[in-house]
Amino acid sequence: MTSADPSLPIRTQVRDAVAAAWRRAVARGALPDTPDGPVPAVEIERPAKAEHGDLASNLALKLARPLRRAPLDIARIIADEIAADAADRTPGAPIAGVDVAAPGFLNLRLSDQVLEATIARVLADPDGWGRVPPVNPRAVNVEFVSANPTGPLTIGNARGAFIGDLLSRVLEAGGQTVTREYYFNDRGGQIPNLGASVVAIRRGEPIPDDGYHGDYVVSLAADLPEDVWSEATAAGAEANQIVGQWAGMRVRAGIEASLEQLGVHFDVWTTEASLHEAGWVDRAVERLRAGGHVYEQDGALWFRSTAFGDDKDRVIIRSNGEPTYFAADIGYVTEKFSRGFDHLIYIWGADHHGTVARVRNAAEAMGYDREAVQMLLYAWVRFVRDGAEISMSKRAGEFVTLDELLEEVGVDAARWFFASRAATTEIDFDIELAKKQSAENPVYYVQYAHARIASILRKATDASLAPADAVEGSLSAGPEAALARAIVRFPEVVEDAATSEETHGVTAYATELATQFHAFYRDARVVDEAEPERSRARLALVAAARTTLANALGLLGISAPESM
RNA sequence: GCGCCCGUAGCUCAGUGGAUAGAGCGUCAGGUUGCGGACCUGAAGGUCGUGGGUUCGAGUCCCGCCGGGCGCGCCA
């Protein structure tokens, strides 16, 4: 007797049912209790082959060693319990049938009831479809992009921007509260450096070799307001700083506009200067000092990072009295935690991996849980045009901007590209190839399926056929079977994405769902005025497919068009 | 030199210790009296970089080697 909660993902219902069967087998003495040691978790997976059922469990294989019995024997005993449950026709029981296969797999078939109940849920609450019960509700701060305001965002910033946004969406889908945050390094020497380049152009002098050389610097010089310029010239040595401040603000506005183009919205913008002004950096340094985690040497103040496993100690106050960038990082950690976050995530390029340990070490030294400070490092993207690598240098003015990339490739295709690849894999992005193949891009395949369904539903309205509220009796066989099974899997995909903090499972799933829809479309006529009841049932299934496609694309920030 | 990441089909990439390693693109051969052909069906294509080890079972875990990327500042 198994009572399943229909609001849980089907895989979870099945897992509970298999676990219950195992417990019953133990209770009636058919299986011995597990001896001391780790108890195998009940794992439910989707078999690669359709003849292995809808879902499968390797539980018997896992139990073989601790129970010291043959996996096939264990599988048969558990299968008998599951089969008895199914034979009772317990209302809502998710499993309709079970087979045992060598070397000890339990192959499970879903019941019509669970399929019907799930499709009915999709139709009753389309917006809620795919939301999973929160596993680990937390308030999370996700900091990403955080490029210096010394030039426009380039394609080099693209991956971090998309990964940060996609990760945020996936965390939200998993029930967490996410704040998207951007950190501007507006202190240091790069702002005056940018100012120096603008000043040089304005004076008709050559730009310094280590200055910034892009066309955008020329534009900045041309747009420099007269009052800023006269203030700068009057200030003498401070001219670079004053012009740099203005240029930085100007560049920042452009960065914010580019990010809006990407569909990436930040909740909080923080500047390094504001952290210093509000005293966060000083207080953090004092906190480390009070804890005995710093020492002076060569006139500088060092954080004893080696005490937490780093390979060297790190300077936080230079011998000239200036705090380092790392000191601001430490202050920022305390400032973020003061806002009530349980968890801080940093999205960094792989070139920053050397700084991971020191920031987490400093957090631990200040009394925070280092596990609450997490860095997600993404691998570098090799941008290629016609097979030749595009080398980029913001200072030398050699780069392709993010805006140009979007103009060439399109935001949906670009989002799909990054969503379908794990963050840690090094990838090639051939811009010409992306353009050439844009018509063949899988994202359009998925969007086309959505548009096709929208067209069918319009057709149905014209024929005065409305989708049924539920689909009954036709899901175990025929063209409906594969499509229904693809639809109901969506919450599991969301759950896996939230758990793994990766999105490529979602793109793979969306592609497969689109494939199942296209196959259904081939085999089943949906709008047929001669068969109104069957039409209404098929319209309901197709509407559920459309909702699922739209929600999967929505999870990735990709549009679901009514027509293309 | 040390540390981290990566190596899977022609190309771009999935693969959470399980069954005959998958998808898209590309290539080849087919498909439309019908709701959108941006679609569908099929085929070819793999020593999972390499050599050991652990395991009932390894693309997956451990060790060595080869190849590629990145890092090793009182820069940011």
Side-chain angles (χ1 to χ4, degrees), chain A residues 283-297 300-310 312-317 326 330 358 360-368 370:
Chain A
R283 283 195 296 276
V285 169
E286 284 316 305
R287 194 159 159 180
L288 287 175
R289 193 195 303 276
H293 298 294
V294 300
Y295 62 91
E296 286 189 40
Q297 184 180 310
L301 191 69
W302 298 69
F303 166 57
R304 210 183 304 274
S305 194
T306 50
F308 300 89
D310 204 349
K312 55 184 74 169
D313 292 334
R314 309 291 174 175
V315 171
I316 50 178
I317 308 284
F326 174 48
I330 298 170
R358 73 189 68 164
R360 300 184 83 202
N361 290 350
E364 185 178 350
M366 291 187 296
Y368 301 110
R370 67 181 295 125

Side-chain angles (χ1 to χ4, degrees), chain A residues 352-376:
Chain A
H352 282 69
H353 76 252
T355 63
V356 170
R358 73 189 68 164
V359 174
R360 300 184 83 202
N361 290 350
E364 185 178 350
M366 291 187 296
Y368 301 110
D369 176 7
R370 67 181 295 125
E371 297 305 317
V373 180
Q374 177 194 342
M375 285 76 180
L376 174 61

Side-chain angles (χ1 to χ4, degrees), chain A residues 383-405:
Chain A
F383 282 93
V384 170
R385 193 183 283 279
D386 287 332
E389 182 168 5
I390 301 170
S391 63
M392 287 195 295
S393 162
K394 198 177 275 188
R395 286 197 199 173
E398 298 167 0
F399 54 78
V400 179
T401 66
L402 200 46
D403 294 342
E404 288 163 346
L405 175 76

Side-chain angles (χ1 to χ4, degrees), chain A residues 7-21:
Chain A
S7 72
L8 295 173
I10 289 177
R11 185 177 58 189
T12 307
Q13 298 180 42
V14 168
R15 179 184 301 139
D16 293 347
V18 171

Side-chain angles (χ1 to χ4, degrees), chain A residues 25 74 78 122 129 238 254 271-272 279 285 328-329 487 492 545-546:
Chain A
I74 301 170
I78 297 174
V122 183
W129 175 236
E238 291 292 303
T271 65
E272 186 181 359
V285 169
D329 273 345
I487 291 168
E492 297 156 25
R546 170 193 155 120

Side-chain angles (χ1 to χ4, degrees), chain A residues 227-475:
Chain A
D227 57 329
V228 176
W229 181 236
S230 33
E231 183 194 345
T233 43
E238 291 292 303
N240 291 347
Q241 176 65 32
I242 289 167
V243 173
Q245 285 293 343
W246 173 84
M249 293 295 290
R250 185 63 174 262
V251 168
R252 174 177 161 169
I255 287 174
E256 295 187 23
S258 295
L259 290 167
E260 287 299 314
Q261 288 287 315
L262 289 189
V264 179
H265 306 283
F266 283 88
D267 303 302
V268 176
W269 306 77
T270 300
T271 65
E272 186 181 359
S274 72
L275 293 175
H276 285 276
E277 286 161 16
W280 289 104
V281 181
D282 290 343
R283 283 195 296 276
V285 169
E286 284 316 305
R287 194 159 159 180
L288 287 175
R289 193 195 303 276
H293 298 294
V294 300
Y295 62 91
E296 286 189 40
Q297 184 180 310
D298 304 328
L301 191 69
W302 298 69
F303 166 57
R304 210 183 304 274
S305 194
T306 50
F308 300 89
D310 204 349
D311 53 358
K312 55 184 74 169
D313 292 334
R314 309 291 174 175
V315 171
I316 50 178
I317 308 284
R318 287 189 275 259
S319 52
N320 66 3
E322 278 292 306
T324 60
Y325 178 84
F326 174 48
D329 273 345
I330 298 170
Y332 198 10
V333 166
T334 63
E335 193 273 342
K336 283 178 178 171
F337 277 121
S338 78
R339 279 186 272 147
F341 295 108
D342 310 306
H343 201 74
L344 310 182
I345 300 180
Y346 295 78
I347 312 291
W348 285 345
D351 55 334
H352 282 69
H353 76 252
T355 63
V356 170
R358 73 189 68 164
V359 174
R360 300 184 83 202
N361 290 350
E364 185 178 350
M366 291 187 296
Y368 301 110
D369 176 7
R370 67 181 295 125
E371 297 305 317
V373 180
Q374 177 194 342
M375 285 76 180
L376 174 61
L377 301 177
Y378 60 89
W380 212 240
V381 185
R382 198 168 154 269
F383 282 93
V384 170
R385 193 183 283 279
D386 287 332
E389 182 168 5
I390 301 170
S391 63
M392 287 195 295
S393 162
K394 198 177 275 188
R395 286 197 199 173
E398 298 167 0
F399 54 78
V400 179
T401 66
L402 200 46
D403 294 342
E404 288 163 346
L405 175 76
L406 291 187
E407 204 171 306
E408 293 202 54
V409 180
V411 69
D412 284 345
R415 270 187 177 273
W416 183 276
F417 180 88
F418 289 106
S420 58
R421 285 146 175 86
T424 52
T425 35
E426 294 165 18
I427 52 180
D428 283 2
F429 193 120
D430 190 318
I431 294 176
E432 288 304 317
L433 210 59
K435 275 166 60 183
K436 229 180 299 179
Q437 291 181 346
S438 66
E440 306 298 331
N441 193 307
V443 71
Y444 298 118
Y445 177 81
V446 175
Q447 289 180 321
Y448 179 69
H450 183 272
R452 216 179 193 185
I453 295 173
S455 171
I456 291 173
L457 294 175
R458 286 192 296 268
K459 214 83 173 180
T461 305
D462 293 345
S464 300
L465 283 169
D469 296 330
V471 185
E472 287 178 11
S474 55
L475 295 178

Side-chain angles (χ1 to χ4, degrees), chain A residues 479-480 520 524-526 533-543:
Chain A
E480 284 83 0
F520 174 78
R525 184 167 178 81
V526 179
E533 280 316 300
R534 194 173 67 182
S535 286
R536 281 166 41 74
R538 286 182 170 170
L539 282 167
L541 187 64
V542 157

